[in-house]
Amino acid sequence: MAASQTVATRPAIRAGVLKFGTVSWELDTVRANRFDEEAGIALQLTELAGNQATQVALQAGAVDVIVSDWLWVSRMRSQGEALSFIPYSTALGALVVPAGSGISGIADLRGRRIGVAGSPLDKSWLLLRALSADRYGLALDRDAVPVFAAPPLLNGKLIDGELDAVLTYWPFAARLEAQGQRVLMTVSGMLEALGQAASVPSVGYVFKEQWARANPAALAGFQAAVAQARTLLAGTGAASDAAWNRLAPIMKAEDDATFRTLRDRFRDGIPRRWGEAEREGAAKLYSLLASLGGRELVGDGRTLAPGTFWTGAE
């Protein structure tokens, strides 16, 4: 479709986003540079209050696309709701300790106060527990003191000395890193240590399979538009710098160091490959997480549901 089409003649893609979520950086770049127009679509952003709100909006048909993880997609498919996933980011979290901490490795976590973003079913926490048990015989739920809370609260407690380590999502780990705190181990590093593929996307764009089959040109246009945005944001030239500087207000970076670290970690998470090897890696990781988190995490599906990853309308 030609970029000269009017908004009325271009199919609309309604994306549900969190106001300050990192996906807004990519989609805002799409709209600011009119990549959606070039791809023959009209991208519309609907701001929602939280991840659960985006999932409800998608299920209700209020939006066409959201960002979520493929574990949720597989769980929904196993329950009869045909959702599908295409990659958005491979960025994962990290285990961060204070700059002057004496903790030099996982074995030193015994007896420590560990802040964990999310719940006891957080995937990063399950992986850290598995690694600690496998390598060091530690049962961190008993041999340490886990504290489950929201990421901003955990960051503050680490800075104030109330926690010895924090396992948190990548934007919050990046903020701590920019303040001089030390990354003890990334979640990607945990995956590699457990023999898992670290290049598996952590989150992606999720949509109803029925919608995708009914609107193949719109979905293809959406994929083309976000690919252009990623290419721009991944670059190192003046155009990329300008794009990032324009995003600075919505990134809410406290200072230049935080801005640069957030930018660099976002770039690190841009998917470079998405083929059969990565999908097989995701299926292997699903089996591990299912064994760790059980039914509470994955529902009744003990293996990754067929069709979780969108490979086209054929």
Side-chain angles (χ1 to χ4, degrees):
M1 295 184 183
S4 60
Q5 285 179 298
T6 65
V7 172
T9 59
R10 286 185 276 122
I13 302 285
R14 302 168 301 164
V17 299
L18 305 182
K19 185 171 184 179
F20 297 113
T22 60
V23 69
S24 295
W25 307 354
E26 182 165 283
L27 297 184
D28 191 76
T29 299
V30 167
R31 283 162 51 93
N33 292 275
R34 298 186 174 180
F35 293 147
D36 56 336
E37 293 183 24
E38 292 180 29
I41 62 170
L43 179 60
Q44 301 173 359
L45 304 185
T46 299
E47 292 182 352
L48 296 163
N51 290 324
Q52 187 173 8
T54 67
Q55 293 172 353
V56 170
L58 177 65
Q59 292 171 294
V63 297
D64 303 310
V65 179
I66 64 169
V67 166
S68 190
D69 65 43
W70 44 267
L71 280 177
W72 179 70
V73 173
S74 180
R75 181 170 186 154
M76 291 298 101
R77 289 189 75 91
S78 69
Q79 294 175 5
E81 187 166 356
L83 304 180
S84 285
F85 171 108
I86 55 176
Y88 158 62
S89 178
T90 63
L92 294 164
L95 181 65
V96 184
V97 297
S101 172
I103 298 174
S104 60
I106 301 299
D108 296 329
L109 294 177
R110 185 185 297 275
R112 304 287 188 163
R113 301 160 297 175
I114 307 172
V116 180
S119 75
L121 287 175
D122 176 77
K123 295 180 289 298
S124 298
W125 173 240
L126 294 175
L127 293 170
L128 178 60
R129 284 179 56 192
L131 180 61
S132 301
D134 183 64
R135 296 289 190 277
Y136 306 105
L138 287 175
L140 287 183
D141 54 337
R142 299 192 305 270
D143 294 332
V145 184
V147 177
F148 302 96
L153 178 62
L154 295 177
N155 277 25
K157 287 185 175 296
L158 185 79
I159 297 297
D160 292 342
E162 296 179 42
L163 293 171
D164 301 303
V166 164
L167 179 63
T168 191
Y169 309 134
W170 77 262
F172 296 92
R175 283 184 153 83
L176 289 172
E177 185 183 357
Q179 294 177 45
Q181 312 311 315
R182 177 162 52 89
V183 173
L184 186 69
M185 192 174 203
T186 64
V187 178
S188 293
M190 296 175 200
L191 287 170
E192 291 176 346
L194 289 166
Q196 301 289 322
S199 59
V200 171
S202 53
V203 292
Y205 291 108
V206 177
F207 44 86
K208 293 182 178 180
E209 183 179 310
Q210 182 180 13
W211 171 84
R213 294 191 182 281
N215 300 276
L219 179 57
F222 177 76
Q223 290 179 276
V226 297
Q228 279 191 280
R230 287 174 189 168
T231 297
L232 176 60
L233 294 174
T236 56
S240 183
D241 289 343
W244 278 106
N245 288 335
R246 194 193 60 77
L247 288 173
I250 65 173
M251 291 169 67
K252 299 294 183 182
E254 296 82 358
D255 49 48
D256 287 344
T258 302
F259 170 81
R260 290 192 301 271
T261 308
L262 286 168
R263 178 199 62 195
D264 293 348
R265 297 298 165 263
F266 181 95
R267 285 171 167 169
D268 291 344
I270 293 174
R272 301 305 195 269
R273 297 176 305 278
W274 179 239
E276 191 58 34
E278 287 72 34
R279 290 190 284 272
E280 288 177 1
K284 182 182 177 184
L285 177 56
Y286 182 95
S287 296
L288 173 63
L289 290 169
S291 70
L292 297 172
R295 192 173 186 277
E296 283 187 272
L297 180 65
V298 300
D300 295 326
R302 302 305 296 175
T303 58
L304 189 70
T308 293
F309 301 126
W310 180 255
T311 56
E314 69 278 353

